[in-house]
Amino acid sequence: MKNCVWVMLLAVVISAAAQQKDSRASESGSSQSGSAESRSHESPTVIRAGTLIDGKSDKPRHDQVIVIRGNRIESVGDAATAKIPTGANVIDLSKATILPGLIDSHTHIFLQGEDPAHGGYDANILNAPLALRAARATVAARRALEQGFTTLRDVETEGAGYGDVGIKQAIEQGYIPGPRLFVSTRAISTTGGYMLEGYAPELDMPKGAQIVDGPVEARKAAREQLDHGADWIKVYMTHRSWVGKNGELVSQPTLTVEELRAIVDETHGWGKKVACHAYGGIGLHRALDGGCDSIEHGLDLDDAAISQMLKQGTWYVPTISAYYNDWAPADTPVGQRDRLRVSLHEPSFRKALKAGVKIVFGTDMGGIPWTEPIAQEFPRMVELGMQPMDAIQSATSRAATMLDMDGKFGVVAPGALADIIAVSVDPLHDIKALENVQFVMKDGKVFKDERSHH
Ligand SMILES: [Zn+2]
């Protein structure tokens, strides 16, 4: 009898959970799973755009009408001649500037700008239950979407294993709000090439990346990560850095070219790409010789590196802002290193920009607390000589091209996913306006609308 009651209770719980899941899936998933036919019966949404920066064109357009059906943009045209479909839900953004949803190509949703006073990076791995880390990552994802970032390339979980694959699924299945995620799972480095470090050698400490030695282990790690859902593979090609004898920045190299080539060869075989953390020197040149698709940070780009990046079509994700945070005191070796990094990063960025290297917007959020504005990277890029439109494209169409999603998002154009944001001040006049996104639509659904209503 007792058993029977339990079975009945269990059945009720399971069916309730199933219903809840169904309703959630239909709330957010209809656009993802609905057929083209069912979409055509949905009433369209129309956005009136005062100014449209479409993510791809070099000039903005004024007084535009964007027609959205389901999760896609159907048409974009002049308000004077465009036909508003009958029964359309009209969103009036005629006083605002409209852009494609933004893309941050270097984030860590599983980091929270760990405060050294609270144990720093190590405590995140040693003390935090994985569920706590997942809860924080859920909040980070939501913060990104609130700020108009509808897509993230998240470049490793820092010891949280394949947690990013789970967060991505939770977003796709409609359980939590968040950007479209491209995840890279555990990342790869070598023995001596990643935290946790500085503990007794007798202890087998967990590491914030998967450690490999030799091409066989390197290829196997890539296979495992790709098998478990990595969209990109992230590799650390440099680790420690310090000020050298002649005042230069020295970066400890990690993987050999042979190890990296095994990873790149495997990953390209899966039709995917490799993002390489590299500051400069030996590790940076190994990264380029080994065929990395993107260079992350690239603090110290010499002329040879820049010409090789141009020749190979390598993407550059500079993450400038991150290096202005949390400098150690100026009279310490680490403090001097922190200042040297910035003093090399700025000319590296300028040289790459001038040479025509493909620069993509990335922040290292997570290294920076998620409470700070993601868009702080835009004024950094503009201060270093990038045109505002170029900076916007680095976070829209150019990033989409790097992600092999050219035309699918990162652009307001027919056929693209309806990822659309609005700001009240034209960012071509004031790039900081992107820190104050007032309207966010992802996949044709309004997530945030803070326009003043009358
Ligand atoms: Zn990073």
Side-chain angles (χ1 to χ4, degrees):
M1 184 61 201
K2 221 176 183 177
N3 276 346
C4 184
V5 169
W6 274 115
V7 168
M8 277 171 63
L9 239 165
L10 196 66
V12 168
V13 168
I14 288 170
S15 78
Q19 273 170 17
Q20 198 179 13
K21 185 172 185 288
D22 280 356
S23 71
R24 280 190 185 137
S26 64
E27 265 168 40
S28 73
S30 62
S31 52
Q32 281 152 4
S33 56
S35 68
E37 203 196 347
S38 75
R39 243 184 257 136
S40 68
H41 293 301
E42 286 173 36
S43 58
T45 298
V46 167
I47 293 179
R48 289 183 173 278
T51 300
L52 172 65
I53 295 170
D54 72 7
K56 195 141 202 173
S57 312
D58 288 335
K59 293 223 155 37
R61 304 201 288 284
H62 299 284
D63 299 319
Q64 299 288 297
V65 166
I66 304 158
V67 179
I68 295 143
R69 218 179 275 270
N71 64 340
R72 282 186 194 279
I73 297 168
E74 189 175 78
S75 65
V76 182
D78 282 324
T81 52
K83 282 206 183 77
I84 309 278
T86 48
N89 164 37
V90 178
I91 300 172
D92 185 5
L93 294 164
S94 58
K95 292 194 169 58
T97 300
I98 310 306
L99 304 100
L102 301 170
I103 303 165
D104 188 339
S105 292
H106 191 123
T107 65
H108 300 277
I109 57 171
F110 279 88
L111 284 182
Q112 314 299 323
E114 276 64 30
D115 184 349
H118 297 111
Y121 182 89
D122 293 16
N124 202 23
I125 291 185
L126 293 174
N127 305 123
L130 198 50
L132 173 60
R133 297 196 67 188
R136 290 172 179 162
T138 301
V139 174
R142 186 189 181 100
R143 289 231 165 95
L145 189 57
E146 282 168 354
Q147 294 173 64
F149 285 80
T150 50
T151 301
L152 305 181
R153 186 185 62 159
D154 199 72
V155 282
E156 91 125 317
T157 61
E158 310 285 355
Y162 294 92
D164 51 358
V165 177
I167 298 290
K168 176 183 167 175
Q169 289 171 352
I171 292 168
E172 284 178 355
Q173 293 170 20
Y175 287 101
I176 59 170
R180 188 174 292 104
L181 294 184
F182 288 76
V183 300
S184 53
T185 74
R186 298 180 63 191
I188 299 171
S189 192
T190 55
T191 295
Y194 215 70
M195 295 81 75
L196 305 176
E197 52 203 14
Y199 293 87
E202 293 75 19
L203 294 173
D204 191 11
M205 299 304 288
K207 298 288 178 182
Q210 188 166 2
I211 300 301
V212 302
D213 294 292
V216 173
E217 286 184 19
R219 186 180 290 271
K220 186 168 189 204
R223 284 176 177 161
E224 278 177 18
Q225 295 181 9
L226 291 160
D227 186 29
H228 293 315
D231 300 304
W232 275 70
I233 294 296
K234 164 79 176 289
V235 180
Y236 289 92
M237 291 303 295
T238 60
H239 180 45
R240 295 170 176 86
S241 64
W242 61 90
V243 181
K245 289 190 232 32
N246 304 310
E248 77 282 20
L249 183 72
V250 184
S251 300
Q252 168 213 347
T254 53
L255 284 84
T256 63
V257 174
E258 290 68 32
E259 288 166 334
L260 177 60
R261 281 205 180 123
I263 291 167
V264 169
D265 180 62
E266 184 68 25
T267 308
H268 286 178
W270 288 59
K272 305 222 162 128
K273 289 179 176 170
V274 180
C276 291
H277 167 116
Y279 279 3
I282 299 167
L284 171 70
H285 287 281
R286 286 184 188 170
L288 293 169
D289 290 345
C292 287
D293 297 291
S294 72
I295 295 295
E296 309 298 309
H297 318 302
L299 302 188
D300 192 5
L301 301 179
D302 54 30
D303 292 343
I306 286 177
S307 62
Q308 195 171 357
M309 289 171 83
L310 286 171
K311 193 167 135 232
Q312 296 177 190
T314 315
W315 304 91
Y316 177 33
V317 187
T319 70
I320 305 159
S321 308
Y323 294 93
Y324 286 84
N325 281 346
D326 296 331
W327 287 354
D331 56 355
T332 64
V334 173
Q336 283 159 11
R337 190 263 331 252
D338 292 345
R339 285 157 183 79
L340 179 59
R341 280 176 177 177
V342 168
S343 73
L344 292 168
H345 207 180
E346 292 187 1
S348 292
F349 180 89
R350 288 182 196 276
K351 272 193 293 183
L353 180 67
K354 199 167 163 226
V357 173
K358 299 183 290 185
I359 298 175
V360 170
F361 179 101
T363 57
D364 225 345
M365 291 305 292
I368 301 169
W370 284 96
T371 45
E372 287 195 27
I374 303 172
Q376 66 182 286
E377 183 77 5
F378 286 112
R380 293 276 182 209
M381 295 170 111
V382 171
E383 277 160 24
L384 295 181
M386 202 176 212
Q387 292 299 314
M389 188 63 104
D390 197 6
I392 289 168
Q393 290 176 357
S394 82
T396 53
S397 62
R398 196 175 307 128
T401 303
M402 181 180 79
L403 296 169
D404 289 327
M405 291 289 158
D406 199 12
K408 296 201 174 80
F409 52 75
V411 63
V412 178
L417 291 167
D419 290 359
I420 293 172
I421 64 165
V423 287
S424 60
V425 174
D426 186 343
L428 298 177
H429 298 139
D430 179 8
I431 195 72
K432 288 197 169 114
L434 292 170
E435 287 187 12
N436 196 8
V437 170
Q438 288 163 328
F439 174 88
V440 179
M441 171 185 275
K442 183 194 158 209
D443 259 331
K445 293 195 166 54
V446 177
F447 172 69
K448 173 177 173 179
D449 188 356
E450 285 185 353
R451 290 169 297 146
S452 46
H453 293 279
H454 300 285

